[in-house]
Amino acid sequence: MMNSAHSEQRSFYAKKERGVATLFISFILLALMSLTAFFVNRTLVIDQEVAGNYYRADRAQMAAQTGLDVVQAQLNTPDRSTFIDGSGNLIAGPHNLSSSLGSTANTFGTLSLSVTLTDISPPGETASILAINSLGCWKESGAGAVAACDTCSTSCPANAEVSETVAFRGALTGVPSAPLTAKGDISLNSAAITVTNTEGPSQGLTIHAGGAVTASSSNLESLPGRPSESSVASGDDELSSISTDDFFLKFFGQDKDTYKENADYQITCGGVCNTSVSGKQGAIIWVDVPPGDSFTINSNTTVGSAANPVILIVNGNLELRGTASIYGLVYSATTNWNNSGGGTSQVLGAAISEGDFEATGTPNPTYDSSVLQSLANNLGNYYKIPGSWRDF
């Protein structure tokens, strides 16, 4: 009986000890589960904060990049007055461009951005190389206390800064030396056309041709006292031997596809096309002519001006009639530019034919170096310098 009582007592204490151990282990497991849940929740909160910070930073970065794109796009339009004044000088800024982007607010927040331009051109040049710095900001919806984000500044909690350098390339990289230039032959026949160059720096050169020139003294007007026949440069092997693509490249510094893509106006027109070009100033105008047609400008039509000349490139035959006047450079991209029709039309600047030129009409090219220099210095596009982009 004694042994049986002791056995029961030992069994009772053993069960009690196992219960205490089980309870202790349960507490440990519960504590571990609680800690695990806490750290998992903490990790989720941190991940959410990181994702939120990344989202805000990404929005600010996109706003800053938009600033660079907007500035370069506007610099490459005929009207650069936001950044360059009428004298060609840089308006440094900062420029708040938020209003230029349309509505920048949405249900999640508001974008704002500011750009600053710095002229880093070589001595003697103005606004030829520009450093553009763009600051973008993002303000969360309901964050009205963050006034620094309304007009973008580095005080805004979510801001990003990017910069790049752009360089200006003039639309006319090779200024012609004569009012009438042709890769092939030039024949003025018995037309009443007058080719005029009375400017001393160009030595009064009237015609520059890769082939033969047929003209009379009545067709040519050069410097006083200079014989008209001596103002003609014909049979130039440099012009006649190069390809038409290289001939185009010689004057414009780009291939035709690139130049057409960067033109301010791209027009397709055949027949009388006065309204397509009338009144356009300070621009590159590219015209495609349907096969078998001519691009004709007649009557009292003026294209460009002395202060804002144009580059008119006609991919086909061009006819100037009546009293049409073009201030700038006219380029006919055809194997034979046959200008028929009468009148007293004028090209005030220079005219170039990619092939032969035949005058049965009177386009009357008159050399104007100031117009051509304006095209070279003021008309063109800004291009990003490779490797200049950076973020901060």
Side-chain angles (χ1 to χ4, degrees), residues 65-75 83 97 100-101:
Q65 182 61 46
T66 299
L68 295 183
D69 296 339
V70 168
V71 171
Q72 185 166 354
Q74 189 156 350
L75 285 173
F83 306 110
L97 296 185
S100 302
L101 303 176

Side-chain angles (χ1 to χ4, degrees), residues 243-254:
S243 66
T244 54
D245 289 338
D246 288 339
F247 184 77
F248 186 90
L249 200 66
K250 172 183 174 67
F251 296 103
F252 303 109
Q254 295 178 352

Side-chain angles (χ1 to χ4, degrees), residues 185-189 212-215 356-360:
D185 300 330
I186 292 180
S187 176
L188 305 187
N189 298 315
V213 174
T214 303
D356 298 330
F357 176 82
E358 183 178 355
T360 52

